Amino acid sequence: MKAVVAHELNKISVEDVTLDGPKAQEVRIKMAAVGVCHSDLSVINGTIPQPFPIVLGHEGAGVVEEVGEGVTHVAPGDHVIMSFVPNCGRCFHCVRGEAFLCAVPRGGKMLDGTARLKLGDTELAAMCSLGNMAEDVVCPSINVVKISKKVPLRAAALVGCGVTTGVGAALNTAKVEPGSTVAVFGCGGVGIATIQGARIAGAARIFAIDLSDEKLELAKQFGATDLLKADEAQATIMEATRRGVDYAFEAIGNAGVVEAAMNVTRRGGTTVAVGVGKFTDNVKVNALAFPLSGKTLCGCMFGSANPAHDFPRLLELYRGGKLDLEGMVTKTYTIDEAQAAFDDLEKGVNARGVISFE
Ligand SMILES: [Zn+2]
Ligand SMILES: [Zn+2]
């Protein structure tokens, strides 16, 4: 079967690979669609360390083909989303309702330490234990969430990572209140999802900030009320709100932008760091001003979501016409066009590109 393999830093190609069947507590899935996410790029360029060679992809949906011993929550024929964060239900975090922090290691091989994927004689890792950029996937059952067959799988795929992260940042992490003011820095896939989350939560005013006019136009379609270029953001927001916004989100992964988001957050307000930046990039907070401001700065991992609960909830919002998933898929590629999909992502062409297998 075909799969997108990252062989080493900055070197990917579509290869004909082999896939072993599912062992105990594993599921084999025929892929329908996979989102092309910035985190895939970050694996390619080394920002997110994962072992090479590796099959990319961690934001997908498909149909269950086969289940291994002991798997009871899904069966062949079920439609599923694969969550890049597992949900073991037993670790410290899962037990206390923080499934987004599940302690089961993700990345590389299956939970028993072996690989199901091979290129010739070489074992391949699978990104987040998923490797969704392939025609078929074998992954741990704790990453698999059953969904309604009424939702198109191409739209559902985005829920495996970016949409849950962005919408969850607004609904779960920040708990945006109706009538509040919101600023979202960065209008890529996650930023657009954050804007949608703020809109769903009933925010009165949503400032979208980006460098690109095209992305700002896109932000408007999804509910942004004010479109700002980065250099004018602080002055305009402070003038419009007089005290700063109730909630500011950083959806890029840049320490300087997190600081800019904190600067436009009102006293007592909340700044949420959603984007994942470089290991060497540090956010500075002032030791005098920060405590006196009463602001909250919080990190947002996977939209503070519980996949088993939040995936169906997000799909209900979609079915109710409140969450636009189809509009986010601005371009569809075949697996052979994977390189073009990544080139477009780097250029910022799409809210979300999707590789479709259908
Ligand atoms: Zn992702
Ligand atoms: Zn867990």
Side-chain angles (χ1 to χ4, degrees):
M1 64 158 191
K2 284 182 183 175
V4 181
V5 178
H7 301 273
E8 55 190 79
L9 278 184
N10 301 315
K11 187 177 171 216
I12 70 162
S13 60
V14 178
E15 299 286 350
D16 192 6
V17 307
T18 58
L19 178 69
D20 290 341
K23 295 194 177 172
Q25 305 299 344
E26 294 173 4
V27 181
R28 181 175 180 129
I29 293 150
K30 180 143 208 57
M31 289 298 299
V34 55
V36 185
C37 174
H38 250 280
S39 299
D40 295 294
L41 262 189
S42 297
V43 170
I44 296 171
N45 65 31
T47 306
I48 295 178
Q50 291 261 297
F52 293 111
I54 188 168
V55 173
L56 296 168
H58 64 284
E59 182 179 278
V63 181
V64 174
E65 288 182 308
E66 189 185 349
V67 299
E69 196 190 319
V71 176
T72 53
H73 76 297
V74 291
D78 284 348
H79 287 198
V80 294
I81 295 174
M82 281 143 279
S83 169
F84 85 95
V85 178
N87 183 186
C88 78
R90 288 194 199 131
C91 73
F92 173 85
H93 293 287
C94 282
V95 166
R96 70 190 309 274
E98 297 169 346
F100 53 97
L101 296 175
C102 179
V104 171
R106 58 177 180 278
K109 308 270 165 84
M110 294 295 105
L111 300 178
D112 65 3
T114 62
R116 304 289 164 269
L117 289 156
K118 265 188 198 156
L119 175 59
D121 292 332
T122 309
E123 285 196 343
L124 298 170
M127 183 172 174
C128 299
S129 305
L130 299 176
N132 281 161
M133 289 187 181
E135 290 171 312
D136 269 60
V137 165
V138 168
C139 70
S141 64
I142 55 175
N143 292 70
V144 176
V145 177
K146 183 176 167 177
I147 59 165
S148 162
K149 287 185 181 169
K150 291 181 177 143
V151 177
L153 287 165
R154 201 169 70 135
L158 305 189
V159 171
C161 174
V163 163
T164 299
T165 298
V167 178
L171 297 185
N172 300 330
T173 314
K175 298 188 171 66
V176 170
E177 292 187 342
S180 53
T181 51
V182 169
V184 178
F185 288 77
C187 301
V190 171
I192 293 289
T194 306
I195 288 166
Q196 293 211 63
R199 190 197 70 228
I200 291 165
R205 203 152 175 191
I206 304 171
F207 297 89
I209 302 105
D210 206 288
L211 298 167
S212 139
D213 288 320
E214 293 82 39
K215 284 194 187 175
L216 288 174
E217 269 313 304
L218 206 57
K220 193 173 169 188
Q221 283 176 40
F222 290 95
T225 57
D226 297 73
L227 311 177
L228 304 176
K229 285 300 197 60
D231 52 2
E232 60 180 1
Q234 182 165 353
T236 310
I237 291 172
M238 295 314 282
E239 195 187 310
T241 60
R242 283 175 296 144
R243 59 181 70 83
V245 292
D246 299 309
Y247 309 93
F249 298 86
E250 199 276 2
I252 298 166
N254 178 294
V257 182
V258 175
E259 289 164 17
M262 288 193 77
N263 287 339
V264 300
T265 302
R266 68 163 169 83
R267 297 176 75 221
T270 301
T271 310
V272 183
V274 190
V276 178
K278 290 200 180 80
F279 183 65
T280 48
D281 200 14
N282 293 295
V283 177
K284 283 200 203 77
V285 289
N286 184 272
L288 172 71
F290 182 58
L292 298 183
S293 74
K295 294 182 191 180
T296 301
L297 169 62
C298 57
C300 168
M301 171 58 192
F302 198 27
S304 307
N306 174 344
H309 171 69
D310 279 289
F311 288 3
R313 176 167 84 132
L314 291 168
L315 294 179
E316 283 306 302
L317 284 166
Y318 162 78
R319 290 181 64 199
K322 294 187 168 20
L323 174 64
D324 181 0
L325 294 176
E326 261 127 9
M328 290 184 69
V329 182
T330 35
K331 196 160 176 191
T332 304
Y333 305 84
T334 65
I335 190 165
D336 292 316
E337 296 167 325
Q339 184 66 57
F342 283 118
D343 291 344
D344 286 347
L345 180 66
E346 269 198 304
K347 281 184 243 148
V349 173
N350 298 315
R352 211 41 154 197
V354 159
I355 293 173
S356 172
F357 301 90
E358 291 174 318

